[in-house]
Structure formats: structure tokens, C-alpha cells
Amino acid sequence: DDGTGQARFSITKGAVNQSLAWTNPLPIGAWTYVTLSLSNGVTGRLYINGANVATGAITITPEQLNAPEVNTIPQQNYFARGAGNSLPFFCGAIDGVRIYTGPLTDSEIGVYQSAQNFGGTGTLYVDLRATNAANASLATFTTWTNLGSSVGNFTKVGSPTYTTNVVGTGIPGIVLDGTSARYSSSNTSIADITGASDRTLEVWAYNPALASE
């Protein structure tokens, strides 16, 4: 928050400050995907949930992250706090942070968007996220935790596996073998799902090849 209710990126070198501001604050009570792209000390682009909300001249480069690091001032590579003790700390939660060596394109930034909280008028019954299917050592759980309501968790059948990086995309996922690996839910009593009512199904899927299915 820049003090006026706008989400803002700011970078300072000496007495010079450059920034990009959105016309809104970050949404309250929801996960927000925030991305900043800096291109060759020329242009900065600020994205909120995959949408480019601000573009402008950003000529200051974050040289303390560069190699070789030539700045003699002590590094201040902090998460959730400003460069000085008098600046505010971030009050909220952070799920994941990535820093790349170059600017991502609009389409790449859209692909990396994480799962969003449901904002519709219906009921979100099934909300399965790959990171809830295995532990940190990549051991796949017997049950895949469902963050949705009423349906319950899903049980592993066969040998689905978990990876933090599907085919070099940088995205975690559950890998299925096309033969016996699957997940199953025993709850068949919800009319919205088993009946003829309206519904929406949404899946992020990675197809490694064109094959008979």
C-alpha cells in the first residue's frame, strides 16, 4: 500500500525513486498473484493476478541481486519489510516467491498464476491443489486433501506421483500413468454434482504427447 490505497512497486537508488502503481489496493481476504517484470533498465511492468495493471520507465536496476555484486553498501534483500527500520512491515501471508534472471512475457506470467480463491455465487465442492497431495520429500499421500466443501478428500488408486517441476515448466503437478493411476471420491450424495444441475469444471492439465485416451 502506497498510503493512498494503491498497490505499488517502488525502487530507490540514492535520492532517486521510481515506482509503478495500481489504481486499487490488493484484494482483501483473497490470495493475490503479484508479478513485477524489469526489462534491461528501461521498462517496468506490474501485474496483478496475471493482468498488466501498470507499465512505465524503470531505469534503476536491482544491482544487489546481480553478479558480480559491485555495490559496497550492505545488501538489503528482505522479504516483507522495507529497506529502513522506519518503514512499515508487511502484515499478511506470503505463499511463494520466485526471482528470474530475465523478464517474463505476458503469456508466461499468465501461465504461472497460482490457484485463486473461489469468488462465484455457487459452492466450490472440489478444490484439489497438487501441493496438497504429497509431503516435502515428494512422498505421495494416500489421500489428496480437498479444500472444497462437503465432498471430502480423494483416495489414491494405483501409483500417481508428485513432482515439483512438471517437464521443466516450474509448475508442481500430479503425474498419472495413463493406465491405473487415479484418485477416487466415495461421496456420491451431492445433487449439484450427481444430478443434472449447472456446474463448472476447471483443470490445469499438461499433456506430454498426443496419445490415445
Side-chain angles (χ1 to χ4, degrees):
D1 188 344
D2 69 348
T4 65
Q6 294 181 324
R8 183 181 69 164
F9 160 75
S10 177
I11 186 169
T12 300
K13 183 176 183 179
V16 179
N17 177 274
Q18 297 176 340
S19 63
L20 298 170
W22 190 27
T23 55
N24 299 292
L26 294 185
I28 303 299
W31 282 105
T32 304
Y33 174 54
V34 181
T35 311
L36 173 77
S37 174
L38 299 176
S39 303
N40 302 319
V42 177
T43 304
R45 294 174 291 145
L46 179 64
Y47 295 79
I48 303 295
N49 289 329
N52 182 199
V53 298
T55 298
I58 300 292
T59 60
I60 300 174
T61 58
E63 69 175 46
Q64 289 188 333
L65 291 176
N66 291 347
E69 201 280 279
V70 298
N71 196 323
T72 58
I73 299 174
Q75 288 190 334
Q76 301 184 65
N77 299 331
Y78 303 127
F79 288 129
R81 60 159 289 182
N85 291 328
S86 63
L87 298 178
F89 284 56
F90 175 66
C91 181
I94 294 177
D95 177 34
V97 177
R98 298 186 182 106
I99 299 176
Y100 296 92
T101 58
L104 298 182
T105 64
D106 289 355
S107 60
E108 288 172 329
I109 289 172
V111 167
Y112 279 86
Q113 183 168 344
S114 57
Q116 299 298 300
N117 288 347
F118 179 63
T121 57
T123 300
L124 179 60
Y125 288 116
V126 177
D127 185 356
L128 298 174
R129 306 183 185 190
T131 50
N132 290 329
N135 63 25
S137 65
L138 306 186
T140 307
F141 297 143
T142 301
T143 57
W144 190 349
T145 300
N146 175 23
L147 302 180
S149 64
S150 304
V151 173
N153 298 329
F154 283 66
T155 302
K156 179 179 71 172
V157 179
S159 300
T161 59
Y162 171 77
T163 176
T164 59
N165 185 3
V166 176
V167 196
T169 61
I171 304 295
I174 301 300
V175 180
L176 307 171
D177 59 15
T179 55
S180 61
R182 59 188 173 91
Y183 282 86
S184 174
S185 171
S186 61
N187 193 326
T188 59
S189 61
I190 298 175
D192 283 352
I193 296 177
T194 59
S197 61
D198 297 337
R199 72 201 66 188
T200 298
L201 305 177
E202 180 185 57
V203 178
W204 279 96
Y206 183 95
N207 183 22
L210 293 176
S212 298
E213 296 181 344

